Amino acid sequence: MLDTMAPYKPGKAVAAPDGRSYKLSSNETPYDPLPSVVEAIAEGARRIHRYPDPGATRLTEAIAARYSVPPEHVALGAGSVTVAQQLFETVGEPGVEVVYAWRSFEAYPLLADLAGVTSVMVPLAGEDHDLDAMAEAVNDRTRLVFVCNPNNPTGTSVRRGPLEAFLDRVPEHVLVVLDEAYIEYVRDDDFPDGLTLYRDRPNVCVLRTFSKAYGLAGLRVGYMIAQEPVVSAVRKTIIPFAVNHLAQVAAIASLEAEDELLDRVERVVKERTRVRESLLGQGWTVPPTEANFVWLRLGGRTLDFAAACAAEGVAVRPFAEEGVRVSIGSPEANDAFLAAAASFAAK
């Protein structure tokens, strides 16, 4: 079975002949860690000869306090993708189906295969989730439905009314997972906050991460907020000590420095607007995005476009025969990408 699985492909770095290198392929923040977070990590390093708190008690309590939820509603993992894997494992048995849009987060098919469940991929409607088709795909074998919001890699979002109507159609035995890895970048006033929805809907849970806006991608820490029975089940599937000590320390420090972090997020959002408007001005079709990346559907030109960017030292994330996802980086990196895109468009 393992021989038939396609491995996850992380974003790659490239370099131009003159040594320039801009990695816009992994949706990382372009900013260095905050000084207060670095200080907390340095202090925490004095205790790496000890095992981390297996329950991540202080971090769990900090997240619970931040969102005004009970600690019993919080489950942690080594990145939100690992929490997603724990969810897959809780339902993993022959015959179980998991529904999600496609294209969406590239890890979903791999996690489904590893858990031994059947993926039901519902094609996007243009660049958006087709919620009607997803609701129709749910049956007695369905145990999970993933809604990646904003969607990776298209950046589009499901709005409040359509999502609530969709949730009303999903049976109670099906857990709807709102994957909100990029929610800090959302500026749409009609975007549905999963942490509001889950309170009155026992079959809704929310995934979030410290990897993107909080800049802790290298430490791997994510979390789920859900009703206690869901959290209890997911906690049973976590590998002991999965969230390491430095990750716990850094996440707590990041929450304490949230105002400063969110100021950085606002700068990324402004650059996102500039990049998208510049691409539209060049003649590209770019859907509205609520994440820290833009999406260009290029079809058969995808790999050629990615190669042209790489020649200029800009790494983007290509999905062959579909399109490219381009992370928002520093102004310098974004300018390099826009120049490469303009040059490709002029050919």
Side-chain angles (χ1 to χ4, degrees):
M1 180 179 176
L2 289 175
D3 291 340
T4 66
M5 291 183 184
Y8 178 79
K9 297 179 180 179
K12 297 180 179 179
V14 298
D18 62 3
R20 290 181 303 151
S21 180
Y22 304 104
K23 189 184 178 193
L24 303 181
S25 56
S26 295
N27 298 341
E28 299 155 331
T29 178
Y31 299 107
D32 293 340
L34 290 173
S36 61
V37 175
V38 173
E39 290 174 10
I41 292 172
E43 179 62 28
R46 299 176 184 276
R47 292 189 55 79
I48 60 173
H49 61 300
R50 304 294 187 186
Y51 284 107
D53 173 9
T57 304
R58 288 186 59 225
L59 177 55
T60 297
E61 292 174 347
I63 293 170
R66 167 64 181 82
Y67 296 111
S68 300
V69 302
E72 295 77 17
H73 287 196
V74 180
L76 291 163
S80 61
V81 66
T82 302
V83 185
Q85 181 180 20
Q86 293 167 230
L87 282 164
F88 275 96
E89 290 176 354
T90 64
V91 302
E93 59 184 50
V96 165
E97 294 183 356
V98 177
V99 174
Y100 50 88
W102 196 252
R103 176 170 293 275
S104 192
F105 183 32
E106 193 174 1
Y108 294 156
L110 174 61
L111 299 181
D113 289 346
L114 288 172
V117 302
T118 300
S119 286
V120 178
M121 300 179 177
V122 178
L124 295 172
E127 311 300 350
D128 302 308
H129 280 67
D130 188 338
L131 294 180
D132 286 337
M134 291 177 67
E136 292 170 3
V138 173
N139 57 44
D140 291 342
R141 298 181 298 278
T142 309
R143 292 294 177 270
L144 295 177
V145 176
F146 276 78
V147 178
C148 188
N149 201 26
N151 188 46
N152 178 10
T154 63
T156 55
S157 63
V158 175
R159 307 188 88 183
R160 182 179 295 110
L163 181 59
E164 290 180 349
F166 169 74
L167 294 174
D168 289 341
R169 296 178 60 183
V170 177
E172 293 182 0
H173 76 275
V174 176
L175 184 66
V176 179
V177 184
L178 304 179
D179 189 343
E180 297 181 344
Y182 300 94
I183 192 168
E184 290 85 4
Y185 300 100
V186 172
R187 294 298 179 269
D188 183 352
D189 292 337
D190 200 31
F191 186 89
D193 182 350
L195 297 187
T196 299
L197 294 171
Y198 103 96
R199 297 173 191 270
D200 298 322
R201 297 177 184 266
N203 68 328
V204 170
C205 74
V206 180
L207 296 182
R208 293 189 180 179
T209 183
F210 286 91
S211 294
K212 308 303 181 187
Y214 289 88
L216 301 184
L219 286 177
R220 313 304 303 128
V221 54
Y223 58 98
M224 178 186 78
I225 295 179
Q227 297 291 332
E228 191 278 332
V230 178
V231 169
S232 178
V234 168
R235 285 179 175 177
K236 292 177 182 178
T237 64
I238 191 171
I239 297 173
F241 309 113
V243 183
N244 71 68
H245 175 61
L246 295 184
Q248 295 182 36
V249 166
I252 293 169
S254 294
L255 288 173
E256 292 172 349
E258 193 170 52
D259 288 345
E260 190 175 356
L261 279 166
L262 294 182
D263 177 68
R264 292 180 168 192
V265 169
E266 193 59 39
R267 282 181 264 167
V268 172
V269 169
K270 289 180 180 178
E271 276 295 288
R272 177 182 76 189
T273 299
R274 182 178 75 88
V275 169
R276 180 170 182 264
E277 290 178 350
S278 296
L279 290 170
L280 293 173
Q282 292 178 12
W284 299 101
T285 299
V286 188
T289 174
E290 294 293 335
N292 67 335
F293 52 84
V294 294
W295 169 255
L296 284 76
R297 186 168 289 281
L298 300 171
R301 298 184 297 164
T302 295
L303 296 183
D304 289 339
F305 182 91
C309 290
E312 299 299 323
V314 180
V316 300
R317 184 65 174 270
F319 298 89
E321 303 301 316
E322 295 184 59
V324 298
R325 187 195 69 199
V326 186
S327 307
I328 301 301
S330 66
E332 179 184 358
N334 298 332
D335 286 342
F337 162 67
L338 290 170
S343 177
F344 188 89
K347 292 181 180 178

